[in-house]
Structures are given as structure tokens and as C-alpha cells.
Amino acid sequence: MLTRSKLDIKIVWKHVKKSYSTQKSNQISVFNSLSKAKEPLILKNNVLYWYSCGPTVYNSAHLGHASSYVNFDIIKRILTNYFQINVVNLMNITDIDDKIIIRSLKEKKNFLNISQFYEREFLDDLRLLNCLKPDIVLRVTEHIPEILNFIKKLIDLKTAYATESGSVYFDTQNFHIKSFFEQVQPDSETDSKDNQEKRHPYDFALWKARKEDSEPSWPSPWGHGRPGWHIECSTLANIAFGRELDFHSGGKDLLFPHHHNEMVQCCAFHDMNKWSSFWLHTGH
């Protein structure tokens, strides 16, 4: 079932809760990318909430995408069919992004025409690969108000700040948790060239101010702009699952900075030290 509105999400929840089994599953251990160790899977009411990082729809999917989604589909089928766990799976569609804008300008097409074409192609690819459909699919562009509210709360919590240009950044020096940062060695000199408005090289964009009138943009308290990549996933996951997330999955190339930044945003937003019980990553 593919849904794209708040009302549809409520319908999905109503449907799946009625059909769920309460049978207790056998003890399962899952490798957690964050701890780099196997940990026991502990669920409430035998329900597993799973957020899948979906595609940025600016081009056709490649074999690396196929490998990742097939691997996770196998895991989902084992959990559902063998262990009788009730999996609720949400996938996002990133339909606004630098690469989408660049392609739309190059081809002189509306950015939505680009993203909608490749979204349809991607979902058709999943069908041809015999992957199970996600229970919920959400597009970024259809949830801008929720993204703005998420950013506003982070600013109120003093973990984000607005700049004179109208962009908003997460303040990495004002919020610290154990995350994927310890597993990588980012190049601060390279990162510092990203934007001179940042207070620290590792700060990352939550809202990107519009640079040209031709860019797709939405009004915000800080001026016209669009969401940063990381805040999109955090907000969409929050819409359906809030702070109760069991699995967060994606390719290993997303571990840093994307999943790291998602984690710190959500931990700040929910005032917690760990968001998502497990992080799952596949190779390509």
C-alpha cells in the first residue's frame, strides 16, 4: 500500500494494527552498524517500525540500488514470514535536491517532471525485482510544513541557527551524542569550504536559502528556500514513527554524513541519546 498523506497514514495504521499477530517471536540478534556488534532485537507488541532511505529521483536506479533493496527485502521477508514479526515499513522519496535541479535546468523541464518520472521508474524496478512494497511512501515536497516545524523546534532548542542569507544550520558544537562520527575521519578543511556562514566546518544545512529566482523554493520564516537533505528523512520518519523507530536502513555510503546527521537531529528534537534502535547498512 503506497500512501502519501497524513490521512492515508492513519488509514494504514488502522489497517495494520487489526491484522497484526501478537505471537512472540524467537530471540533474534541483529548487527547494528552503530555499535558494530550483534544486539538482541527487543520489540513492543511484536511490531517492528522500519524506515528505509529511499532514492533521490534524478536518474535511473543502478545495480547498487538493486542490490541494497533486494538485501533488505530478504531480511524483511525473513522477519515477517519466519519470525512472524509485524513489520511497518516507510520509504521516502527525495524529490527535491541539487541533482534534480541541475538536471531540470539542463533539460529545461520542471523539476517535478524529472522527479516524478524517475520515481515511477524506481517503483517499477522494485516490482520487477519482486521486492515487497513499502507500507508507506512519502515525498519530501508534500511535507514542507512539517519540515519547517521540525527546523523551528531545533532553533528553539538552540541546536540550530539561521544566517543572514536565510539558510539554517544545525549547530554541531552545541549537541553531542555517540554516533557514526567516531567511525570516520571527515576532512574538515574540505567541509569548511562548503559555506563561510557556518559557525563550524561540521555544521550542516537544514534549510538552504534560494540563490537564484529560477530555483524551486518555498516560503519560510527565514526566506524562500528548500530543505537540506538530512532534515528531510528525519522529518518524514518522525511523521509516522516519532521517537519509536526500530530499524533505519540504507547503503553503507549513507552512513556518514547522512545517517550521522539524521541521528543528531532526531536526538536533539526528541531529547534523547539514541534514535533508532538499529542501523542497517548494505554494501553495493
Side-chain angles (χ1 to χ4, degrees), residues 227-280:
W229 179 29
H230 316 302
I231 197 68
E232 298 170 347
C233 286
S234 294
T235 303
L236 297 183
N238 186 65
I239 289 173
F241 303 132
R243 58 191 293 136
E244 303 292 336
L245 183 62
D246 299 299
F247 281 9
H248 193 306
S249 64
K252 65 180 182 180
D253 58 311
L254 300 180
L255 188 146
F256 187 91
H258 185 47
H259 287 170
H260 163 80
N261 291 348
E262 276 191 71
M263 188 188 305
V264 295
Q265 288 171 160
C266 288
C267 285
F269 185 89
H270 292 294
D271 188 23
M272 58 199 308
N273 293 321
K274 182 181 179 182
W275 177 73
S276 184
S277 299
F278 291 87
W279 293 82
L280 282 64

Side-chain angles (χ1 to χ4, degrees), residues 42-57:
I42 301 173
L43 302 172
K44 295 180 180 179
N45 302 317
N46 202 41
V47 180
L48 189 151
Y49 303 135
W50 185 336
Y51 181 87
S52 301
C53 263
T56 299
V57 283

Side-chain angles (χ1 to χ4, degrees), residues 2 11 21 31-32 58 64 71 83 86-87 93 102 107 122 144 147 163 179 202 217 219 229 270:
L2 302 182
I11 293 173
S21 165
F31 183 84
N32 192 341
Y58 72 96
N71 285 333
F83 290 104
N86 306 298
V87 177
I93 300 291
I102 291 171
E107 298 185 6
F122 170 78
I144 299 298
I147 292 173
T163 64
S179 65
Y202 296 145
S217 65
W229 179 29
H270 292 294

Side-chain angles (χ1 to χ4, degrees), residues 18-202:
K18 282 187 176 181
S19 64
Y20 273 178
S21 165
T22 58
Q23 176 181 340
K24 186 177 180 180
S25 61
N26 298 324
Q27 184 62 59
I28 307 171
S29 293
V30 179
F31 183 84
N32 192 341
S33 297
L34 181 59
S35 64
K36 290 189 173 181
K38 290 184 179 180
E39 299 176 11
L41 177 61
I42 301 173
L43 302 172
K44 295 180 180 179
N45 302 317
N46 202 41
V47 180
L48 189 151
Y49 303 135
W50 185 336
Y51 181 87
S52 301
C53 263
T56 299
V57 283
Y58 72 96
N59 205 342
S60 299
H62 52 65
L63 286 176
H65 294 121
S67 173
S68 181
Y69 289 111
V70 168
N71 285 333
F72 287 129
D73 184 70
I74 292 171
I75 295 172
K76 187 189 306 183
R77 289 174 185 271
I78 291 172
L79 292 172
T80 302
N81 300 331
Y82 182 77
F83 290 104
Q84 297 296 299
I85 291 174
N86 306 298
V87 177
V88 180
N89 181 216
L90 162 64
M91 178 184 289
N92 74 295
I93 300 291
T94 298
D95 57 349
I96 180 64
D97 178 83
D98 289 341
K99 294 177 181 177
I100 297 173
I101 295 173
I102 291 171
R103 181 146 196 168
S104 70
L105 294 174
K106 182 178 180 181
E107 298 185 6
K108 297 181 180 180
K109 296 180 180 178
N110 184 288
F111 81 98
L112 285 175
N113 292 336
I114 300 291
S115 62
Q116 289 170 5
F117 174 83
Y118 288 111
E119 177 189 339
R120 290 192 297 269
E121 185 181 77
F122 170 78
L123 294 175
D124 193 45
D125 287 343
L126 289 186
R127 179 184 62 81
L128 293 172
L129 290 168
N130 198 31
C131 291
L132 296 172
K133 290 183 178 179
D135 299 293
I136 307 168
V137 174
L138 298 180
R139 296 190 188 105
V140 170
T141 57
E142 295 177 349
H143 296 87
I144 299 298
E146 291 88 346
I147 292 173
L148 291 173
N149 288 334
F150 201 112
I151 297 173
K152 288 177 188 176
K153 182 174 178 178
L154 291 178
I155 291 177
D156 291 341
L157 293 170
K158 309 299 182 184
T159 55
Y161 57 91
T163 64
E164 292 184 1
S165 70
S167 294
V168 180
Y169 291 89
F170 188 87
D171 190 344
T172 57
Q173 302 307 293
N174 203 29
F175 187 80
H176 300 277
I177 58 167
K178 181 180 179 181
S179 65
F180 295 111
F181 189 85
E182 290 75 16
Q183 299 184 20
V184 298
Q185 294 181 339
D187 185 348
S188 61
E189 292 300 320
T190 300
D191 292 347
S192 65
K193 298 175 183 177
D194 174 47
N195 195 307
Q196 297 301 320
E197 290 186 317
K198 297 193 295 186
R199 295 176 181 174
H200 190 273
Y202 296 145

